[in-house]
Amino acid sequence: MATNPPDTPSSPNTPVYRRLARRLQERVDTGAYPPGTRLPSEPELSAEFGVNRLTVRQAVAELERAAVVEIRRGVGTFVRPPAVRVSIAVDPRSQRFDLGSVPTALPNDESTDGEFVVAAPPVTGSAQDAEAARQLGRTPAELSRVDSVIRLGGRARAACSYWVPFGPLPAELVRPGRPGNLVPDLARAAGVELEYDWRAFGAVGADLADAELLGVPPGTALLVREGVSCTPDGAPALYVRRRIDGSSARFVLHFRDR
Amino acid sequence: MATNPPDTPSSPNTPVYRRLARRLQERVDTGAYPPGTRLPSEPELSAEFGVNRLTVRQAVAELERAAVVEIRRGVGTFVRPPAVRVSIAVDPRSQRFDLGSVPTALPNDESTDGEFVVAAPPVTGSAQDAEAARQLGRTPAELSRVDSVIRLGGRARAACSYWVPFGPLPAELVRPGRPGNLVPDLARAAGVELEYDWRAFGAVGADLADAELLGVPPGTALLVREGVSCTPDGAPALYVRRRIDGSSARFVLHFRDR
DNA sequence: AAGTGGTCTAGACCACTGA
DNA sequence: CAGTGGTCTAGACCACTTG
């Protein structure tokens, strides 16, 4: 009876809030709190477990970040039903991302759907600007940048940043609020055709700016899709970095013929 | 001097901790706190900004979740240097993930590197088990499961779960701590050849179990790679779901010949 | 031993939601 | 309006790291 039995792989001094988080998750896992259920309120949990309300909040916050529960202010905390995520197919042979499934998979009744310019921030020496410059083989001073947001089903789903090795960009193209598809728009502005060079997938927590754009708490897991497009002769012409709400999208690659 | 200037796109009643987070991030962005710098201690920040230490902690916690700073207990809070991430190439034509770059990109001096069995949990009706059953076209009762962890450079980088439509699995294969490569091991146990059917990329916050396995705080952004492998005749034979520490890996797809 | 971040409490007030 | 979660304070003690 020393350190820890196999069923609780924790150090002996696991904080109270984490033990509590585990106990609550157990209730979710075992179905004691089925999906959609409202958890007891914070004062109720506080009383039930004999801990301060702040400790309860710490536990619940972890479960929220782990997407186990959803907190609705003024209403309550609810067990999340299984996530509905948009699948975006990627055909390795055609080298194209098929977004055909997106509009049908989400309620499309909003007239606010589409991609919209957010801003055309100056290209400084920030880490992201430096990365873009590195990927395009230029210096930050040679680049222009435009940011956008993609809305689907009435919600902001993705925050996008584009860097191109020329400038300045036409004022109308980067007018905040302008609807459009930035990749073809930028290709047209540059007078070139674009094809994929590479694309990469990663994951990051939402920074403060992205969190605000996407309407999620800072730190929310975002799927990052970044990459370079080039002209047919192979000159890098665009670096793009999309941050997509992880709970609402996934990218699928099919390897077999169908 | 009313609500908010365009440079601070916030509602008028932005909480103190978020304003503070923004001010601190500003100092990081402008280079006032360069990468590697130690931030002032919590009591110091508390005094400088005239807020309670808990409020400071809330601000710093957001910056940590957004991967802006790294907190080292007993030492201090440091500005994160640009992330070093392992790139894993994916060749759409060969249909294979090229992990050749991994061992060279990370310090490989640890003898603890590799994939290790963690457990062979029973397949219940949990959401993940149900998803696996759906993908394999079976019922949960027909499946076996084994979990593993992949260690690289002396750290756990990925948590993996495998579901196969047969069982029980050989005791030696699922012995906790056993080193090995689970995909070929499982193929051998099944007596079949495996090829990719599809793979998908997503992002989620680490749940409590994954957080413990990977040694990261719950809610940390994880890159999820999941998919089905099948036998040459197209029968689904394996569902795999890998959760990879988002800060340490990215998957790259190259679309041009090189 | 001194300084750092980590946890916990008690209590207060506020903002939001729904009936 | 009552109930929910959101923020903030003051103060205490603990665990960890470094010299």
Side-chain angles (χ1 to χ4, degrees), chain B:
Chain B
M1 62 194 63
T3 51
N4 259 288
D7 66 88
T8 309
S10 319
S11 26
N13 47 7
T14 302
V16 175
Y17 74 85
R18 184 149 302 165
R19 290 177 198 273
L20 178 50
R22 257 194 266 268
R23 293 188 61 175
L24 292 175
Q25 189 174 40
E26 230 173 76
R27 294 186 179 178
V28 172
D29 290 340
T30 61
Y33 293 157
T37 308
R38 211 205 80 193
L39 262 58
S41 72
E42 292 175 357
E44 284 167 349
L45 288 172
S46 175
E48 177 183 352
F49 291 96
V51 298
N52 187 272
R53 187 181 148 216
L54 212 68
T55 305
V56 169
R57 282 179 61 74
Q58 254 180 303
V60 174
E62 289 213 331
L63 294 182
E64 197 215 7
R65 284 195 291 272
V68 174
V69 300
E70 177 188 351
I71 301 177
R72 288 184 227 148
R73 185 174 183 171
V75 185
T77 301
F78 298 81
V79 179
R80 290 186 87 135
V84 183
R85 298 204 294 170
V86 180
S87 289
I88 301 174
V90 186
D91 184 341
R93 274 167 291 274
S94 74
Q95 304 193 3
R96 279 292 168 267
F97 290 82
D98 170 19
L99 287 97
S101 51
V102 177
T104 56
L106 284 171
N108 197 23
D109 38 27
E110 303 280 343
S111 60
T112 62
D113 284 1
E115 183 170 14
F116 299 90
V117 172
V118 168
V123 177
T124 64
S126 79
Q128 287 186 19
D129 288 343
E131 172 70 7
R134 202 173 66 78
Q135 294 294 349
L136 293 175
R138 306 293 186 111
T139 65
E142 298 174 285
L143 304 185
S144 300
R145 170 177 171 177
V146 55
D147 288 357
S148 75
V149 64
I150 294 178
R151 305 183 60 88
L152 283 175
R155 271 197 47 210
R157 304 274 173 178
C160 314
S161 299
Y162 305 86
W163 287 263
V164 290
F166 63 92
L169 294 169
E172 168 57 18
L173 191 150
V174 300
R175 180 175 56 79
R178 182 187 74 85
N181 288 92
L182 270 292
V183 171
D185 293 347
L186 287 167
R188 205 170 306 121
V192 297
E193 280 181 39
L194 292 179
E195 56 185 51
Y196 286 6
D197 181 358
W198 58 268
R199 290 293 184 271
F201 294 94
V204 299
D207 66 24
L208 301 184
D210 287 345
E212 187 155 335
L213 274 176
L214 297 174
V216 299
T220 300
L222 302 182
L223 179 63
V224 178
R225 185 167 79 86
E226 57 177 334
V228 166
S229 288
C230 55
T231 59
D233 60 2
L238 172 70
Y239 174 69
V240 55
R241 181 181 145 90
R242 292 202 155 99
R243 290 84 71 198
I244 303 144
D245 183 0
S247 66
S248 63
R250 78 175 165 186
F251 287 82
V252 185
L253 288 80
H254 291 285
F255 291 104
R256 287 176 64 89
D257 295 320
R258 20 204 59 225

Side-chain angles (χ1 to χ4, degrees), chain A residues 9 18 22 65 92 95 195-201 203-204 212 218 221 226 230 246 250-253 255-256, chain B residues 9 18 22 65 85 92 95 195 197-201 203-204 212 218 221 226 230 246 250-251 253 255-256:
Chain A
R18 184 149 302 165
R22 257 193 268 268
R65 284 195 291 272
Q95 305 192 5
E195 56 184 51
Y196 286 6
D197 182 358
W198 59 267
R199 288 294 183 271
F201 294 93
V204 299
E212 187 154 336
E226 56 177 337
C230 55
R250 78 177 164 183
F251 287 83
V252 184
L253 288 81
F255 292 103
R256 287 176 65 89
Chain B
R18 184 149 302 165
R22 257 194 266 268
R65 284 195 291 272
R85 298 204 294 170
Q95 304 193 3
E195 56 185 51
D197 181 358
W198 58 268
R199 290 293 184 271
F201 294 94
V204 299
E212 187 155 335
E226 57 177 334
C230 55
R250 78 175 165 186
F251 287 82
L253 288 80
F255 291 104
R256 287 176 64 89

Side-chain angles (χ1 to χ4, degrees), chain A residues 103-117:
Chain A
T104 56
L106 284 171
N108 197 25
D109 38 26
E110 303 280 342
S111 59
T112 62
D113 283 2
E115 184 170 13
F116 299 90
V117 173

